Amino acid sequence: GDLTDGGTATQYDQFISVFNNTENIPASVQKIYMMGNHDNYPSGAQNTYLTKLGQPLDQYHVINGIPFITVSQRAGSNSGDGLTSYPEASINFLTQKMAEAATNYPGKPIFVFTHVAPLGTCYGARRGDYGANNGWGMPILMPILKQYPQAVVFSGHSHFPIGNPHSINQNSLFTSINTGST
């Protein structure tokens, strides 16, 4: 998430020029994208993302026998409950794909990527991590993820440093990792 600063077509063109440059990333490397809050700022930003990158907002891939799921943020700012940021379509997608991954790949981790961390997990998403409020985590994904102890959830958004020991949390029935500003 936050592939761009403001979700404009020009910013996506700059992003694409960097990521499609084979001096930076070999052509053989598969690139999987998802949206963050900055990618959603202008009106029509989701259409720009879809047109420029040609990838769905939420994705499910199996790479070398390991399932990977991305869930894109759908709003330019966080709502308290997360419903604006992760709407029903995303929740249904995550619910379905987590079940599918657990059934088809028993004993394997399920890697999940979401821009905002589940509330109460890693550094930046816990109560008190950001002044007096609840950090930058959202509760909406927790009911799904806590059913799968094999889930490893990577999230950014927080801008909190990754060197803190709390950047990796395994006390929420699954593993949650703060990746800093990505």
Side-chain angles (χ1 to χ4, degrees), residues 16-33:
I16 291 165
S17 73
V18 171
F19 275 70
N20 285 350
N21 182 335
T22 56
E23 292 180 15
N24 298 327
I25 301 172
S28 61
V29 173
Q30 181 180 3
K31 298 175 215 72
I32 301 169
Y33 306 116

Side-chain angles (χ1 to χ4, degrees), residues 54-91:
Q55 293 189 7
L57 294 168
D58 302 323
Q59 299 185 57
Y60 177 80
H61 297 274
V62 177
I63 302 171
N64 295 328
I66 305 291
F68 290 77
I69 301 170
T70 68
V71 183
S72 284
Q73 187 168 347
R74 304 296 209 285
S77 63
N78 298 339
S79 66
D81 59 9
L83 289 172
T84 303
S85 294
Y86 297 101
E88 187 175 346
S90 292
I91 299 306

Side-chain angles (χ1 to χ4, degrees), residues 127-149:
R127 286 175 170 48
D129 278 346
Y130 189 68
N133 75 15
N134 291 337
W136 284 348
M138 283 193 214
I140 195 163
L141 304 177
M142 286 298 288
I144 303 162
L145 296 170
K146 70 181 185 180
Q147 298 175 54
Y148 300 95

Side-chain angles (χ1 to χ4, degrees), residues 2 10 19 22 46 54 82 98 118 143 152 159 161 171:
D2 287 354
T10 301
F19 275 70
T22 56
Q46 290 178 24
M98 290 297 291
V152 180
H159 299 253
N171 297 327

Side-chain angles (χ1 to χ4, degrees), residues 33-172:
Y33 306 116
M34 65 177 204
M35 294 183 83
N37 62 308
H38 281 259
D39 303 312
N40 279 286
Y41 285 144
S43 176
Q46 290 178 24
N47 289 334
T48 304
Y49 167 94
L50 293 167
T51 301
K52 293 288 186 178
L53 299 179
Q55 293 189 7
L57 294 168
D58 302 323
Q59 299 185 57
Y60 177 80
H61 297 274
V62 177
I63 302 171
N64 295 328
I66 305 291
F68 290 77
I69 301 170
T70 68
V71 183
S72 284
Q73 187 168 347
R74 304 296 209 285
S77 63
N78 298 339
S79 66
D81 59 9
L83 289 172
T84 303
S85 294
Y86 297 101
E88 187 175 346
S90 292
I91 299 306
N92 291 341
F93 178 88
L94 182 61
T95 300
Q96 176 190 3
K97 295 305 179 183
M98 290 297 291
E100 182 179 324
T103 298
N104 293 339
Y105 301 95
K108 302 278 186 166
I110 303 170
F111 292 111
V112 179
F113 297 83
T114 181
H115 188 61
V116 179
L119 182 63
T121 59
C122 59
Y123 190 39
R126 299 171 308 145
R127 286 175 170 48
D129 278 346
Y130 189 68
N133 75 15
N134 291 337
W136 284 348
M138 283 193 214
I140 195 163
L141 304 177
M142 286 298 288
I144 303 162
L145 296 170
K146 70 181 185 180
Q147 298 175 54
Y148 300 95
Q150 69 271 45
V152 180
V153 181
F154 294 88
S155 59
H157 184 65
S158 71
H159 299 253
F160 280 57
I162 61 174
N164 186 291
H166 296 113
S167 290
I168 299 175
N169 178 291
Q170 294 181 301
N171 297 327
S172 301

